[in-house]
Amino acid sequence: MIDSKLPNFRAMSPAQRLTHVAQAAGLDDAEHALLAKPGALPLDTANGMIENVVGTFELPMAVAGYFQLNGRDVLVPMAVEEPSIVAAASYMAKLAREAGGFRTSSTGPLMRAQVQVVGVSDPYGARLAILKHRDELIEMANARDKVLIGLGGGCRDIEVHVFPDTPRGAMVVAHLIVDVRDAMGANTVNTMAETVAGRIEEITGGKVRLRILSNLADLRLARAQVRYSAATLQTKAYSGEDVIAGVVDAYLFAAIDPYRAATHNKGIMNGIDPVIVATGNDWRAVEAGAHAYASRGGRYTSLTTWEVANNGDLVGTIEMPMPVGLVGGATKTHPLARLALKIMNVSSAQELGEIAVAVGLAQNMGALRALSTEGIQRGHMALHARNIALAAGASGADIDWVVKKMVAARNVSVDYGMSLLQGPRDE
């Protein structure tokens, strides 16, 4: 059984951390070696993934610890360039363990394919005509993917939306609702949409234009909940009750103000995107769905909620689209994406989505806690100082020395780092 606690992880060398994770996740020698060396993505493989390949590009890959979901410990690989993200998520996950960690759930893996019909003078009549042929169209769509049907998936239903008055006249849009199982589903639903397009033209007398999935995957939701007591959140400078009040006030700011909500939700995606990238999934699709979902009420708002329970505990929740997969695309072709999934020990796309939103919720809590107490810069800049030291020209043992000096002086800047390197090495 995996133990996600990572005590003293920051003090270890990268090699020591990798050995610890490899043992915890049950990686074999070849997998350990693959993570240990740069350039784990072979150029030939990269050349087959996209066009015009000239090389590969690497990001730091870390593992967030202490996550516990529904009673199960999970190690979470994250690929990201920004400091403080992994540390903040891990710390909030550590605090969450005192109340049982994260509780997660999700809906089925349903995706939408849209078929746009133009050139109809009776759009509502066209809608009913499509619905009359619902069973026929579903059968046509499912005939194109026998493998998916064999796995228990397939087209489940058809919705039809009418836009009676556009600058180009009436428009009818049919939605194929498809259970894509453990795939992200783009190729599957796009193929199904193209399969039924001709028949929809015959049924409606109109012209089909677009046949494409929707990234607003509002039928494929992942949810997470977490609880923190006042005693857990207490610090030397702030009572737990003050921290809770500050977090709730910060959340409400995002709930009412789209300018704040944009930054608030970016912080949530700071946690989610690195998980999506590490597993070879489409982070652009997840981002698009997240921000569209945050606007579903007609106004852009927070993806999370933070409330105070009857006993005074802080309770956070998140619910958002999570169109991710375990099969197809880079998830299967990128060697490190496959290893990331093994480290997480996930068995379904729904489980992966639940892990991702739990990390997003933890990251959000970390940001709100910092913002409402000491400010975001103190902790963030201390971690960011290593990047600044490198930019200033520090290397080897000088890195830690420059970081220590910049943090002590509260001057984390390239200019100050360069001046330190040019001066005496006093301690």
Side-chain angles (χ1 to χ4, degrees):
M1 180 178 292
I2 288 178
D3 182 354
S4 68
K5 296 190 290 293
L6 301 175
N8 302 316
F9 214 53
R10 190 180 300 178
M12 296 180 184
S13 69
Q16 290 171 326
R17 294 181 195 131
L18 176 56
T19 297
H20 182 99
V21 170
Q23 291 173 348
L27 303 186
D28 59 33
D29 290 344
E31 291 166 333
H32 184 286
L34 186 64
L35 274 171
K37 68 179 183 181
L41 176 64
L43 195 58
D44 286 346
T45 302
N47 192 47
M49 293 171 68
I50 64 170
E51 57 285 342
N52 294 0
V53 168
V54 296
T56 59
F57 182 89
E58 291 188 318
L59 287 171
M61 189 167 180
V63 174
Y66 295 96
F67 276 89
Q68 190 177 67
L69 276 70
N70 302 326
R72 182 176 81 87
D73 277 24
V74 180
L75 292 168
V76 185
M78 302 175 72
V80 67
E81 86 296 342
E82 184 176 333
S84 82
I85 288 175
V86 179
S90 298
Y91 183 62
M92 298 320 302
K94 182 178 182 179
L95 295 186
R97 294 177 75 94
E98 297 188 26
F102 297 84
R103 301 297 174 189
T104 64
S105 63
S106 53
T107 63
L110 298 177
M111 296 292 289
R112 296 176 182 269
Q114 295 183 290
V115 181
Q116 175 198 27
V117 186
V118 298
V120 291
S121 59
D122 58 338
Y124 292 100
R127 174 181 179 270
L128 292 187
I130 293 172
L131 292 175
K132 180 181 178 181
H133 291 83
R134 170 187 173 277
D135 292 344
E136 175 194 351
L137 293 169
I138 290 175
E139 185 177 354
M140 286 181 65
N142 285 334
R144 290 302 302 268
D145 200 329
K146 297 296 185 183
V147 173
L148 181 62
I149 301 302
L151 293 172
C155 185
R156 296 282 186 255
D157 201 0
I158 293 180
E159 297 177 359
V160 186
H161 300 252
V162 175
F163 302 90
D165 186 20
T166 81
R168 295 274 291 169
M171 187 182 301
V172 177
V173 183
H175 288 200
L176 306 185
I177 311 300
V178 184
D179 182 336
V180 297
R181 298 285 82 198
D182 284 326
M184 183 275 183
N187 290 333
T188 296
V189 299
N190 289 345
T191 299
M192 288 185 175
E194 292 178 354
T195 298
V196 302
R199 182 62 181 133
I200 287 178
E201 285 186 337
E202 293 174 354
I203 292 168
T204 62
K207 173 67 177 177
V208 167
R209 295 292 193 195
L210 271 61
R211 296 141 287 169
I212 185 71
L213 90 159
S214 170
N215 285 126
L216 177 50
D218 59 353
L219 299 176
R220 193 176 190 178
L221 303 176
R223 313 179 188 96
Q225 181 187 77
V226 70
R227 178 182 289 260
Y228 298 97
S229 68
T232 298
L233 296 176
Q234 183 173 339
T235 69
K236 291 181 180 179
Y238 298 91
S239 71
E241 289 79 10
D242 283 344
V243 174
I244 289 173
V247 169
V248 173
D249 284 344
Y251 151 68
L252 289 173
F253 184 9
I256 63 174
D257 180 13
Y259 290 95
R260 171 59 201 149
T263 311
H264 176 97
N265 288 342
K266 188 269 182 183
I268 294 169
M269 303 312 292
N270 273 349
I272 291 173
D273 284 348
V275 179
I276 305 305
V277 173
T279 57
N281 274 280
D282 186 347
W283 60 268
R284 285 90 49 201
V286 174
E287 282 274 353
H291 297 298
Y293 194 72
S295 303
R296 67 192 184 281
R299 181 177 55 83
Y300 189 80
T301 187
S302 170
L303 286 165
T304 57
T305 63
W306 292 95
E307 307 165 295
V308 181
N310 288 336
N311 68 349
D313 285 356
L314 178 67
V315 178
T317 61
I318 185 171
E319 179 182 67
M320 59 177 281
M322 193 49 58
V324 295
L326 302 186
V327 297
T331 304
K332 278 297 184 184
T333 57
H334 198 303
L336 291 190
R338 295 197 300 271
L339 272 187
L341 292 171
K342 181 172 182 177
I343 291 170
M344 276 192 281
N345 191 29
V346 293
S347 58
S348 70
Q350 287 174 252
E351 190 177 3
L352 173 58
E354 291 173 20
I355 293 171
V357 295
V359 178
L361 186 59
Q363 184 65 30
N364 185 224
M365 175 58 188
L368 295 184
R369 174 178 171 273
L371 282 166
S372 60
T373 55
E374 67 209 23
I376 200 72
Q377 287 299 83
R378 181 178 175 184
H380 177 77
M381 290 308 291
L383 292 168
H384 187 49
R386 292 187 67 84
N387 277 343
I388 298 300
L390 289 169
S395 61
D398 283 343
I399 297 174
D400 289 337
W401 180 80
V402 172
V403 167
K404 181 180 177 181
K405 289 291 186 180
M406 287 194 297
V407 171
R410 295 189 178 182
N411 185 358
V412 181
S413 66
V414 173
D415 287 346
Y416 185 55
M418 293 175 67
S419 71
L420 289 170
L421 290 168
Q422 293 165 3
R425 300 295 195 272
D426 61 317
E427 290 296 336

